[in-house]
Amino acid sequence: MPDAGIRVRFAPSPTGHLHVGGVRTALFNWLFARHHGGTFILRIEDTDRSRSTEENLGFVLDALTWLGLDWDEGPPAPGYRQTERFDLYRAHAERLLRAGRAYYCDCPPAQLEAERKAAEARKETFRYSGRCRDRGLAAGALRLRIPDEGSTVVHDLIHGPVVFEHRQLDDWILVRTDGTPTYNFCVVVDDVDMRITHVIRGNDHLSNTPKQVLCYEALDYPVPQFAHASMILGPDRSRLSKRHGATSVQAFRDEGILPEAMVNYLARLGWSHGDQEIFTRQELIERFDVKDVASSGAIFDRTKLEWFSHEYLKMTDGARLAAMAIPFIERAGLPVPADRARLAAMLETLRERAKTLVELVEVGRFYFERPREYEPKAAEKFLTVDGAQRLQRLIELVQAAEPFTAEVIETAVRALAAELSLKLVDIAQLARLAVTGRTASPPIFQVLALLGRDETLVRLRAVQVAIAR
């Protein structure tokens, strides 16, 4: 049932392109919010000043917009970037310090590093000794005081209860000696301030969660519900990375994957609803439940993604195909037909033959440029003296066809084949080779009609000249 009180967030760091793991996290949060009639918030974690640039932020916003993951709160409105919220973090840090739930630590970094290495040598998890807990220092790094005994239980909506013993946790740093707050502290304060009810994120954050829960409790704030989605893995079952190929949303977009295909595929990557594969956007919203997300890793299958893209290409009307394909036509160095209706009709003849927009343009290259060469074996068979004579009859046929439609052309070619005691394929393949340079294309009579009478004649005559040479 709709619950307007549900508030979720996606909080990327703008340090580069948005990768598929982050996009799936955004998608799960977006679907959860839309399913419950709640609020989807975009928050920017930009405290890494050296890498968090406006250009990288633009990449994030561009990727989400391309996928149709609109946010209810967030940029460009102020207050949704961590660098705009330092006063809020400072106030919460002072509150923890006054309550005795945090303390200053002046242990030298070199000493802490030596202790960390010693713990590693003993094959133990490093845990800060707490030597500064009761020194009453007035400066240094601010640490959260973790209880010595007991445990914290994270009630995860996907994994169930996960227990973390306090003796395995560290008195972690809230604010560094230079005054900058740490990631885990900012996350807690931001989630509290933005009234986040559910934190849906990747499984790699599960180990941070007990620290954050203890920080919520130290601040006497309610703890949100957590759901940690499985990691996306490469075919070798290691964490998906650049070595597995393209991983950023922009890279897949530039390869011509359709946005709805990417959304559908990522939704199915670790989540399912029976055996259904193809979902409309509305079906995803209606059927998504975070409790149905798998707890085990999901394998990223590029072939499956391309299958989704192919299925969506087949369902896309020509006008939208034309709008999406124009940048790819231009990028291939091909002229874009001025007649958009004709371009749409051309692309509709190709959509069954391609998995991506890049492939769509490539298989339809003959629509945009004249053949530079002809398939050798076919040329040997068709571009002969007899072929030249048949081409002359084809030219006369094209000149006479009225109106110049696929139906009229087909009727005339069938009559010509009968007159010459040939099979239809003999004339059709000659025409196909002459105008496309290939022996495979969409229905040739449609192709001729879309190329138009004048262009068809130019191409047929060019082959005549080539044979004469």
Side-chain angles (χ1 to χ4, degrees):
M1 295 295 293
D3 185 349
I6 283 180
R7 294 173 62 83
V8 296
R9 48 73 168 178
F10 175 55
S13 298
T15 55
H17 288 283
L18 193 56
H19 286 202
V20 294
V23 170
R24 191 188 63 164
T25 297
L27 175 61
F28 283 178
N29 277 278
W30 186 87
L31 289 172
F32 188 77
R34 296 294 176 260
H35 177 81
H36 290 283
T39 302
F40 175 59
I41 299 167
L42 177 61
R43 188 173 75 217
I44 306 301
E45 297 180 348
D46 60 345
T47 52
D48 185 343
R49 299 293 186 90
S50 62
R51 299 172 63 204
S52 296
T53 65
E54 290 302 311
E55 181 182 27
N56 287 336
L57 175 58
F59 291 149
V60 171
L61 302 183
D62 183 49
L64 294 177
T65 300
W66 178 64
L67 293 169
L69 304 183
D70 55 321
W71 51 97
D72 304 302
E73 297 179 19
Y80 292 91
R81 299 169 67 152
Q82 285 184 336
T83 49
E84 300 171 337
R85 303 167 62 82
F86 275 22
D87 289 344
L88 186 64
Y89 307 139
R90 191 174 299 112
H92 280 77
E94 291 171 355
R95 177 178 165 186
L96 288 170
L97 186 62
R98 287 195 304 270
R101 302 303 298 268
Y103 61 91
Y104 284 116
C105 168
D106 66 356
C107 293
Q111 178 183 349
L112 295 174
E113 182 60 27
E115 292 176 2
R116 181 177 287 103
K117 288 182 177 179
E120 290 175 357
R122 297 192 302 270
K123 296 183 179 180
E124 297 175 358
T125 300
F126 171 70
R127 184 172 186 266
Y128 174 63
S129 65
R131 70 170 58 87
C132 293
R133 276 186 166 193
D134 301 313
R135 291 177 61 197
L137 298 174
L142 188 67
R143 290 183 180 270
L144 183 70
R145 191 185 296 268
I146 301 293
D148 293 317
E149 304 296 331
S151 62
T152 290
V153 180
V154 176
H155 296 280
D156 194 276
L157 295 173
I158 296 172
H159 297 273
V162 186
V163 180
F164 295 87
E165 299 294 333
H166 290 162
R167 58 187 169 79
Q168 296 296 324
L169 301 179
D170 206 22
D171 281 3
W172 54 282
I173 294 175
L174 301 166
V175 182
R176 302 179 184 89
T177 53
D178 64 1
T180 58
T182 60
Y183 165 79
N184 282 306
F185 183 48
C186 292
V187 165
V188 171
V189 174
D190 288 340
D191 285 347
V192 166
D193 182 64
M194 295 179 184
R195 308 187 310 283
I196 300 301
T197 61
H198 295 74
V199 174
I200 304 171
R201 57 190 178 186
N203 209 25
D204 52 332
H205 288 285
L206 182 56
S207 60
N208 293 330
T209 307
K211 298 179 180 181
Q212 295 170 10
V213 169
L214 288 167
C215 191
Y216 281 108
E217 293 174 347
L219 289 164
D220 196 27
Y221 285 132
V223 178
Q225 294 191 61
F226 291 95
H228 290 89
S230 61
M231 302 304 296
I232 299 179
L233 308 177
D236 59 358
R237 302 198 69 83
S238 65
R239 186 170 178 176
L240 188 68
S241 65
K242 290 181 180 179
R243 71 175 181 276
H244 296 112
T247 59
S248 78
V249 174
Q250 276 86 352
F252 287 112
R253 182 185 63 183
D254 291 346
E255 291 177 8
I257 297 292
L258 270 63
E260 53 267 52
M262 179 63 75
V263 167
N264 197 149
Y265 176 68
L266 290 178
R268 288 283 290 108
L269 199 59
W271 171 83
S272 63
H273 181 80
D275 296 327
Q276 185 173 349
E277 293 274 20
I278 302 291
F279 294 82
T280 66
R281 186 70 59 109
Q282 189 56 38
E283 285 176 331
L284 285 175
I285 291 171
E286 291 172 358
R287 296 170 187 177
F288 180 80
D289 190 332
V290 73
K291 295 177 183 178
D292 294 330
V293 174
S295 59
S296 57
I299 304 296
F300 188 88
D301 184 346
R302 187 182 187 87
T303 301
K304 188 71 171 181
L305 172 60
E306 291 178 347
W307 178 84
F308 274 104
S309 190
H310 179 56
E311 291 301 307
Y312 277 98
L313 268 175
K314 291 191 295 184
M315 293 186 284
T316 303
D317 67 80
R320 182 161 180 260
L321 277 179
M324 291 190 296
I326 285 173
F328 293 90
I329 297 171
E330 293 173 338
R331 197 172 74 188
L334 299 170
V336 178
D339 185 342
R340 292 295 186 264
R342 188 165 71 95
L343 173 60
M346 289 174 173
L347 297 177
E348 284 186 336
T349 70
L350 303 168
R351 59 187 175 189
E352 295 271 354
R353 300 168 177 266
K355 300 185 293 293
T356 69
L357 292 168
V358 169
E359 286 188 6
L360 188 76
V361 171
E362 186 55 37
V363 298
R365 178 176 283 269
F366 62 84
Y367 275 131
F368 312 111
E369 68 175 8
R370 294 166 184 167
R372 299 178 182 178
E373 56 186 20
Y374 304 92
E375 287 184 13
K377 287 186 178 181
E380 186 177 339
K381 179 179 180 180
F382 290 105
L383 305 189
T384 62
V385 174
D386 286 343
Q389 294 173 351
R390 293 168 188 170
L391 279 170
Q392 181 56 42
R393 295 298 303 274
L394 268 174
I395 289 170
E396 294 167 2
L397 180 155
V398 167
Q399 290 172 322
E402 194 63 46
F404 196 70
T405 64
E407 294 78 9
V408 170
I409 297 168
E410 180 177 359
T411 299
V413 170
R414 286 185 180 279
L416 176 62
E419 178 189 335
L420 299 177
S421 300
L422 296 171
K423 295 178 181 178
L424 177 64
V425 68
D426 294 326
I427 303 295
Q429 282 294 75
L430 174 61
R432 179 175 282 112
L433 183 64
V435 300
T436 72
R438 310 170 185 176
T439 54
S441 77
I444 185 58
F445 307 119
Q446 282 185 270
V447 170
L448 298 178
L450 288 167
L451 286 173
R453 191 195 311 272
D454 292 345
E455 181 62 24
T456 297
L457 288 171
V458 167
R459 297 187 185 197
L460 293 175
R461 286 168 176 155
V463 177
Q464 266 192 319
V465 171
I467 294 174
R469 289 175 182 169

